[in-house]
């Protein structure tokens, strides 16, 4: 295979692994199971540090930061980018 073909195959494999990871259930430190998309939304959107709806303990997982301030900063940064893009789009109308 050519280097380009190998790179494409590696990229496709990486994408397939990422998609597979997003489909599998994930266990949090509190012991409850979440679908990846649900856990991602739970961990990256306000209110941060929310309790598990099942056992009322705070949800932690090693794939996301445990520091609430870091989660808040990341969310605020994403929201600011969204507003900037919306403002730029409105400027071109």
């Amino acid at each position: 295979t050519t280097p380009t073909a190998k790179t494409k195959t590696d990229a496709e494999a990486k994408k397939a692994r990422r998609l597979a990871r997003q489909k599998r259930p994930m266990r949090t430190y509190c012991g409850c199971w979440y679908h990846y998309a649900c856990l991602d939304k739970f961990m990256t959107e306000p209110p941060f540090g929310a309790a598990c709806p099942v056992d009322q303990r705070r949800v932690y997982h090693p794939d996301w930061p445990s520091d609430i301030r870091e989660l808040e900063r990341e969310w605020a940064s994403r929201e600011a980018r969204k507003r900037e893009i919306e403002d730029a789009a409105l400027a071109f109308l």
Side-chain angles (χ1 to χ4, degrees):
T1 61
T2 65
T4 306
K6 183 176 189 262
T7 304
K8 185 176 179 182
T9 306
D10 291 344
E12 289 172 352
K14 185 176 180 180
K15 183 178 179 181
R17 284 192 305 274
R18 182 175 48 83
L19 290 173
R21 183 183 73 167
Q22 290 177 354
K23 291 180 181 180
R24 76 174 198 267
M26 302 178 83
R27 188 172 188 178
T28 61
Y29 287 141
C30 70
C32 295
W33 290 88
Y34 289 89
H35 187 265
Y36 178 89
C38 297
L39 185 58
D40 185 57
K41 183 175 181 177
F42 193 83
M43 297 295 291
T44 60
E45 294 182 5
F48 301 104
C52 174
V54 176
D55 62 13
Q56 302 304 311
R57 294 191 297 183
R58 181 161 172 235
V59 176
Y60 290 100
H61 192 277
D63 288 353
W64 288 270
S66 60
D67 181 15
I68 293 174
R69 291 180 302 230
E70 185 177 345
L71 292 168
E72 289 172 343
R73 281 191 302 269
E74 289 175 4
W75 176 80
S77 177
R78 283 193 309 275
E79 292 299 308
R81 269 194 306 268
K82 286 180 192 175
R83 286 191 301 274
E84 288 174 6
I85 291 169
E86 289 170 0
D87 290 346
L90 289 174
F92 289 108
L93 292 179

